Amino acid sequence: MIGPVFFILIETSITKGFKAALTFDIGVIIADICFILIAYFSSFQLINRIKDDPALFLFGGMIMITYGLISFIRLQKLKKAEIHIEANSYKNNYFSLFAKGFLLNFINVGVLGFWLAIIITIGPQLEMHHGKMINFFTFVIGSYLLTDIFKMLLAKQLKNKLTPQNILKVKKISCIVLIVFGAVIMSKSFIKNEPAFIKNNISIKTN
């Protein structure tokens, strides 16, 4: 899916290296797993109210915009001599990358709505059987991870061709992307566009 995580993943792979990008992506995936568990084990009516709460969209969007703005302003103050590939500097700081991936995905309430839609669509076909559901989502998350690894490896090929100026451009673009997607998330607090099939099937319950 083309979203803020996609762009930050590519930027991280290019500027910080494959291991850093993989750490970031694991944080993203853990956030997805948390959303899947919340959507599966909680009341669908409750989740439907949570994911449509305007305050959550406003809060998540504001955090994303603020992070993007602060990062962009910091980049504006950098000197060219300070711009470099950062893989080595992140050797012992993978926790911050993991946390960044987790939080960036977790503050986007729309992701919860996405997994809820998947469960509502696929669940009845699998008879809401725990074993079948676990197998399905294991395959989905595994495919997600393999696809992201492919993206990282492709992005890594550009690493040796980057100049300080190009690195700065990549970082600035990722900041702008965060600001744009933050604004989009905030706009969801004013626009209701829930798919009809979610409303029609919201009474499905798990055992």
Side-chain angles (χ1 to χ4, degrees):
M1 297 177 65
I2 306 299
V5 169
F6 171 83
F7 289 98
I8 302 303
L9 179 67
I10 298 301
E11 183 262 333
T12 302
S13 181
I14 291 174
T15 62
K16 299 178 177 67
F18 177 81
K19 290 182 180 179
L22 182 60
T23 303
F24 171 85
D25 197 44
I26 290 174
V28 172
I29 289 175
I30 295 299
D32 275 319
I33 292 174
C34 289
F35 275 143
I36 291 171
L37 292 174
I38 292 171
Y40 183 71
F41 289 107
S42 300
S43 163
F44 284 126
Q45 288 88 346
L46 174 62
I47 295 301
N48 190 51
R49 287 196 295 269
I50 291 176
K51 76 180 184 62
D52 287 333
D53 189 341
L56 292 178
F57 283 106
L58 285 172
F59 180 70
M62 286 178 64
I63 291 178
M64 197 171 290
I65 290 175
T66 301
Y67 181 83
L69 284 173
I70 292 175
S71 299
F72 190 86
I73 292 172
R74 286 179 177 175
L75 290 174
Q76 291 289 81
K77 297 179 180 179
L78 279 179
K79 298 178 182 178
K80 290 183 180 180
E82 298 174 322
I83 303 170
H84 55 280
I85 301 295
E86 302 175 50
N88 293 331
S89 65
Y90 273 81
K91 186 174 182 180
N92 298 314
N93 198 23
Y94 286 115
F95 178 76
S96 64
L97 284 167
F98 173 86
K100 179 180 177 181
F102 179 87
L103 293 173
L104 184 62
N105 201 30
F106 201 76
I107 61 175
N108 187 353
V109 185
V111 177
L112 176 59
F114 169 78
W115 288 118
L116 176 62
I118 294 296
I119 289 176
I120 289 175
T121 304
I122 299 299
Q125 299 179 43
L126 300 179
E127 301 174 347
M128 296 304 290
H129 186 275
H130 290 302
K132 293 179 181 179
M133 295 291 282
I134 290 173
N135 290 336
F136 171 78
F137 282 108
T138 298
F139 179 81
V140 170
I141 294 297
S143 301
Y144 179 18
L145 178 60
L146 288 175
T147 302
D148 281 352
I149 289 175
F150 181 68
K151 298 174 194 173
M152 295 176 222
L153 292 174
L154 286 180
K156 188 179 178 182
Q157 303 304 313
L158 301 174
K159 181 177 176 180
N160 295 328
K161 300 179 181 179
L162 288 179
T163 62
Q165 292 87 344
N166 288 336
I167 293 174
L168 183 61
K169 288 180 182 178
V170 169
K171 287 178 172 291
K172 284 185 176 181
I173 289 174
S174 67
C175 293
I176 293 172
V177 165
L178 281 181
I179 294 171
V180 171
F181 276 98
V184 171
I185 291 173
M186 289 183 68
S187 70
K188 291 182 180 181
S189 64
F190 306 103
I191 302 174
K192 299 297 182 182
N193 56 353
E194 181 181 62
F197 76 90
I198 292 183
K199 292 181 179 180
N200 296 334
N201 295 281
I202 206 66
S203 60
I204 296 175
K205 295 183 181 295
T206 58
N207 293 327

